[in-house]
Amino acid sequence: MSVPGYRDMPGQQWDPRQPVDTREAEDFLDLFHRENPQRGDVRERLARVVDEIAETGTYTHTYAELVFGCRVAWRNASRCIGRLYWRSLVVRDLRKVGAPDEIFEELVRHLRLAGQRERNVIRPVISVFAQHVPGRASARLWNEQLIRYAGHREPDGLITGDPRNTQFTETLQQYGWRGKPDNPFDVLPLAIEGPGGDVNLYDLPEHAVWEVPIEHPTLRWFAELGLRWHAVPAIANMRLTIGGVDYPLAPFNGWYMGTEIGARNLADPDRYNLLPVIAERMGLDTSTERSLWRDGALLELNRAVLWSFDQAGARISDHHSESERFLAHIASEERAGREVPADWSWIVPPMSGSTTGVFHRYYHEADQRPAFYLDSEARDLGRRGRSPNTAEPSEAPPSCPFHEPTPPATPPEPRGWFGRLFHRP
Ligand code: ARG
């Protein structure tokens, strides 16, 4: 979906041929030593880094720098409401892993570590693969998240599944993937491109994909809709940049806030578009907007999501609690002498905004590094992939992987494919 007023952040443009900018390395090392005084004198480290850059065009982070860099990239993510926990991010150092088969194995391990169904645990994890070397191609992942559902276009044009991923699904089909075209929650394979440009598709094993069936605490019929969602949101196409060094493959996950699923993924008119179906089952008057049937249906869908995740032991936060935690995070950061960059249009939840504390204030916006960036090529690959017969991905409208800002004023016409999904004999 194209979002009016969306601007690329400055760091989203990058030139993969340029050597590391020593000023960026210096800023980062200063920050690292300032916040970790036990790590010794920054001047010594900086002198070695400057030499390394002069010789090779880049430098290698120590493990401690890498861990700190990842955590601060999260701390700086101005669109994320869940940053109170930035210090708890588990960092997997996979900088030596570069072959597609091994990358896939490690991504499966990532998902198993991040979401432990048997122990009812979901925790934030990042897997950092090989750093970018100026002028050299690196392995990459096309998928925007490790787990996403296919959007299968049927011959009559209706879509089964998540319309967000229709083009991506079609590209994967050009590479021979079939999937299960009548399953509305058909998990997409991972498309891993090796440094030589070869693309390999990998199906995720069932044990790596924790899914939660959606039921409602009081509305019995809700379960009959057959809805489900995956428990672990793992962003896979953002470039991590730390002290001038880029990590093009560094997937990371947190846990869900209910509204991401209940007020966006399952509700948006250009996603699963379920509000008309739910309102009808609830017996609401859909002939007039003034019955607020959309709002009524939205509320029950969101109660269902939270309740189902709780039943399944899958960690999920609600927007009221997460809003309070974010305000606590701002307060504790301010006590530490740091400002929290934040983007109001992303921080305010997509339902009941004014009932949350985060609505009633302004924020300071800034592009601080270390950071995660979604550059246009990765964004494009995540939306459509690269078809085997075109060298360059085609221009796609900008999009964002977190819960997105307010959609355009005129949403596309509901296409009625939910009717097909949920009323099939
Ligand atoms: N909004 C995205 C989705 O629904 C996930 C973005 C990351 N969210 C998170 N809670 N860490 O799939």
Side-chain angles (χ1 to χ4, degrees):
M1 170 188 308
S2 120
V3 180
Y6 180 98
R7 282 169 287 115
D8 269 4
M9 288 192 226
Q12 280 171 337
Q13 326 303 343
W14 72 303
D15 182 348
R17 289 157 307 188
Q18 289 304 312
V20 168
D21 181 342
T22 39
R23 284 164 313 178
E24 275 210 40
E26 184 173 353
D27 286 348
F28 170 68
L29 293 170
D30 274 341
L31 184 74
F32 175 71
H33 285 265
R34 210 176 327 128
E35 293 192 28
N36 303 276
Q38 77 283 10
R39 295 285 170 184
D41 184 29
V42 64
R43 277 164 305 182
E44 234 172 78
R45 172 69 176 134
L46 188 59
R48 272 184 288 127
V49 164
V50 169
D51 287 347
E52 209 180 323
I53 295 174
E55 227 169 89
T56 66
T58 185
Y59 67 102
T60 309
H61 289 128
T62 64
Y63 179 66
E65 287 164 359
L66 182 71
V67 171
F68 176 76
C70 291
R71 291 179 178 164
V72 175
W74 184 8
R75 185 174 89 191
N76 285 338
S78 55
R79 294 167 171 183
C80 176
I81 193 175
R83 285 178 274 166
L84 178 63
Y85 309 96
W86 66 276
R87 280 189 195 81
S88 71
L89 180 64
V90 175
V91 178
R92 303 177 68 223
D93 180 1
L94 301 170
R95 288 178 289 175
K96 297 240 153 60
V97 177
D101 288 357
E102 289 164 32
I103 291 173
F104 172 68
E105 266 171 47
E106 291 300 343
L107 295 175
V108 169
R109 283 198 194 112
H110 178 131
L111 286 171
R112 304 233 345 133
L113 179 69
Q116 301 178 28
R117 213 178 320 198
E118 12 351 276
R119 299 177 47 215
N120 291 352
V121 165
I122 296 182
R123 57 179 180 175
V125 175
I126 183 168
S127 294
V128 185
F129 291 90
Q131 75 186 63
H132 172 70
V133 177
R136 221 188 275 168
S138 9
R140 60 192 308 169
L141 190 61
W142 289 2
N143 308 58
E144 66 168 2
Q145 288 196 30
L146 296 184
I147 304 173
R148 293 262 89 171
Y149 297 120
H152 291 285
R153 201 190 299 274
E154 305 198 13
D156 57 7
L158 296 184
I159 292 161
T160 296
D162 193 342
R164 180 182 176 97
N165 303 317
T166 305
Q167 285 181 312
F168 190 66
T169 304
E170 284 167 356
T171 299
L172 297 181
Q173 284 163 347
Q174 293 181 30
Y175 284 90
W177 185 71
R178 286 287 153 262
K180 299 194 181 66
D182 54 2
N183 176 2
F185 299 97
D186 190 19
V187 175
L188 288 164
L190 296 179
I192 302 175
E193 182 179 332
D198 48 312
V199 187
N200 298 282
L201 303 191
Y202 299 87
D203 279 316
L204 284 166
E206 193 273 330
H207 63 81
V209 185
W210 183 358
E211 289 182 287
V212 176
I214 309 296
E215 296 172 11
H216 189 281
T218 56
L219 302 171
R220 282 294 171 100
W221 50 263
F222 216 97
E224 290 163 22
L225 297 176
L227 305 178
R228 52 206 291 120
W229 203 258
H230 53 91
V232 178
I235 304 294
N237 63 347
M238 293 184 90
R239 171 170 53 88
L240 167 64
T241 183
I242 302 175
V245 176
D246 289 292
Y247 295 93
L249 184 49
F252 59 92
N253 74 279
W255 58 85
Y256 265 116
M257 181 163 90
T259 53
E260 297 182 82
I261 303 168
R264 304 301 309 277
N265 301 347
L266 294 177
D268 275 358
D270 61 349
R271 301 291 298 284
Y272 282 79
N273 194 18
L274 284 158
L275 299 185
V277 177
I278 293 167
E280 192 193 308
R281 297 291 289 254
M282 288 172 70
L284 303 179
D285 177 4
T286 57
S287 70
T288 166
E289 290 298 343
R290 306 182 72 84
S291 68
L292 299 186
W293 61 268
R294 294 180 201 278
D295 310 68
L298 185 66
L299 177 61
E300 296 313 330
L301 175 55
N302 279 274
R303 290 179 67 202
V305 167
L306 291 173
W307 192 79
S308 306
F309 270 63
D310 284 346
Q311 291 299 100
R315 186 172 192 174
I316 192 163
S317 55
D318 65 83
H319 47 295
H320 302 287
S321 313
E322 207 57 45
S323 163
E324 288 313 301
R325 285 188 206 117
F326 185 64
L327 295 173
H329 169 63
I330 294 182
S332 90
E333 284 294 289
E334 280 171 356
R335 280 194 300 275
R338 295 188 290 262
E339 253 185 313
V340 176
D343 180 339
W344 190 96
S345 68
W346 284 66
I347 295 295
V348 172
M351 69 184 282
S352 311
S354 65
T355 66
T356 63
V358 294
F359 176 94
H360 299 277
R361 52 164 293 165
Y362 290 112
Y363 302 96
H364 137 97
E365 284 194 49
D367 175 26
Q368 287 173 196
R369 299 185 185 187
F372 293 105
Y373 293 112
L374 186 58
D375 42 74
S376 46
E377 199 193 351
R379 188 167 61 203
D380 221 24
L381 284 173
R383 277 303 171 84
R384 355 184 124 193
R386 201 185 336 257
S387 63
N389 35 23
T390 51
E392 290 304 315
S394 40
E395 212 20 66
S399 70
C400 300
F402 302 102
H403 62 278
E404 289 168 72
T406 318
T410 41
E413 279 299 300
R415 276 164 300 186
W417 43 265
F418 53 80
R420 160 155 321 203
L421 293 190
F422 302 108
H423 301 294
R424 190 170 261 161

